[in-house]
Amino acid sequence: HPGESPASFVCQGLIDFLVSSHPVARVLRDHVIFMVVPMLNPDGVYLGNYRCSLMGFDLNRHWQDPSSWAHPTLHAVKQLIVKMSKDSRVSLDFYIDVHAHSTMMNGFMYGNIFEEEERVQRQAVFPRLLCHNAPDFSLSNTSFNRDVVKAGTGRRFLGGLLDDTSYCYTLEVSFYSYLAAGSSVPIPYTEETYMKLGRNVARTFLDYYRLNSLLEEKPLSHPILHLIQKVVSHPVLVGPEQAVGRSEGQVLKFDFNCYSCNMNGWVAKQSKNERLLSRLGGL
């Protein structure tokens, strides 16, 4: 959908992170294959359409039987996915379609409904992990459905086509703002926070595939390191902008974006970090 430009920033954040030199990105590239289609409707984008292609089609309603003439990009991607699903050498674990939402807040996901309870529970794992990694992702807004009107979407069609080892989602992100946990004040999205959601989506695959143990525990290099080391011992980088360490039997998590620099040095911007830094004697 050409008008849903926030989705492009999420995708850019995902791609930029995956090709970066970050330790998490290197581990992911070594163990997981990502196939990214950054734009399924280039002609609609070029023309400035809101939802449709040059031919006037909403491409996300034609996954069941796309035409090589009327929906060439959709037809090609569907053929590729079907080919991979039939290749015994390929384990096709995820299909994620990224969109932007005009009424709801935060990032969230749509998934499918299945008869098998175990499959339903397994499908809920990735959104739960993403909620842990992304402060703007809402698990309460995430839902699973089989609406008839959505039958032609990629998420619904491929969810029925692929076997029970594949998980198909629509990742939505608000056009406007998000609510952080425990807050009732909306925070406007920016290009950077959209891209950060993309980075956090990538980071979540590390947790899903349990690849955390492959990260090298290197000392952090960041201006707030001296503060963190006063609270925890041996802090370890666990994400693009996050570190964890243990103190008095508890694991503490630090988000670098929760700090800003002023004349007095590095200080906390958000309440959760202020509580942690209160143990530093008021810094």
Side-chain angles (χ1 to χ4, degrees):
H1 295 150
E4 299 174 14
S5 51
S8 292
F9 290 110
V10 174
C11 190
Q12 181 181 342
L14 172 76
I15 295 172
D16 288 349
F17 178 72
L18 289 176
V19 301
S20 73
S21 59
H22 193 281
V24 172
R26 289 199 296 266
V27 170
L28 288 173
R29 290 197 301 269
D30 288 342
H31 294 85
V32 184
I33 296 175
F34 293 87
M35 303 192 72
V36 183
V37 181
M39 190 179 295
L40 265 176
N41 190 359
D43 50 336
V45 170
Y46 178 79
L47 292 171
N49 294 348
Y50 182 68
R51 285 183 73 88
C52 296
S53 66
L54 170 65
M55 301 289 291
F57 292 106
D58 181 341
L59 296 183
N60 203 32
R61 296 297 184 272
H62 289 273
W63 277 89
Q64 292 166 313
D65 188 26
S67 162
S68 59
W69 177 75
H71 329 103
T73 55
L74 201 63
H75 183 269
V77 172
K78 179 184 175 181
Q79 281 193 321
L80 176 62
I81 293 173
V82 171
K83 180 181 178 180
M84 288 191 296
S85 70
K86 294 179 180 179
D87 190 337
S88 59
R89 301 168 299 173
V90 175
S91 175
L92 183 55
D93 294 337
F94 289 94
Y95 163 85
I96 301 177
D97 190 15
V98 188
H99 290 259
H101 206 284
S102 61
T103 60
M104 296 182 69
M105 298 174 67
N106 291 66
F108 58 95
M109 279 181 155
Y110 291 125
N112 297 311
I113 292 178
F114 304 102
E115 300 299 331
E116 307 87 352
E117 181 61 24
E118 184 202 7
R119 189 177 183 185
V120 173
Q121 294 299 323
R122 284 189 280 115
Q123 184 184 214
V125 170
F126 190 85
R128 290 183 182 277
L129 292 173
L130 180 55
C131 185
H132 177 75
N133 289 326
D136 59 319
F137 184 84
S138 171
L139 199 58
S140 60
N141 286 350
T142 295
S143 63
F144 304 90
N145 61 66
R146 55 171 58 149
D147 295 347
V148 175
V149 70
K150 299 293 182 68
T153 64
R155 184 257 305 177
R156 280 290 315 281
F157 174 75
L158 293 173
L161 176 71
L162 304 176
D163 64 32
D164 62 2
T165 64
S166 301
Y167 306 103
C168 300
Y169 305 98
T170 300
L171 172 63
E172 298 270 4
V173 64
S174 172
F175 272 98
Y176 312 111
S177 56
Y178 64 94
L179 291 174
S183 172
S184 60
V185 180
I187 301 173
Y189 268 112
T190 64
E191 293 179 9
E192 172 56 29
T193 48
Y194 284 133
M195 290 189 285
K196 183 179 179 181
L197 177 58
R199 295 194 295 270
N200 285 328
V201 169
R203 170 67 177 81
T204 301
F205 286 106
L206 189 84
D207 298 330
Y208 181 85
Y209 289 110
R210 301 179 180 180
L211 300 172
N212 293 280
S213 62
L214 300 179
L215 290 176
E216 296 181 15
E217 296 190 5
K218 297 181 178 179
L220 295 177
S221 177
H222 194 277
I224 65 169
L225 176 59
H226 67 287
L227 292 180
I228 294 177
Q229 287 179 324
K230 291 182 181 180
V231 178
V232 299
S233 58
H234 306 296
V236 177
L237 187 68
V238 294
E241 296 141 343
Q242 293 175 334
V244 297
R246 185 174 293 275
S247 175
E248 299 177 2
Q250 292 184 324
V251 176
L252 303 180
K253 185 175 182 178
F254 295 82
D255 189 331
F256 296 169
N257 284 336
C258 292
Y259 299 85
S260 63
C261 187
N262 62 21
M263 293 180 66
N264 297 318
W266 286 84
V267 297
K269 294 191 294 185
Q270 297 184 7
S271 59
K272 62 179 180 180
N273 293 82
E274 287 168 359
R275 290 195 295 271
L276 293 177
L277 288 179
S278 66
R279 300 168 61 181
L280 304 179
L283 286 177

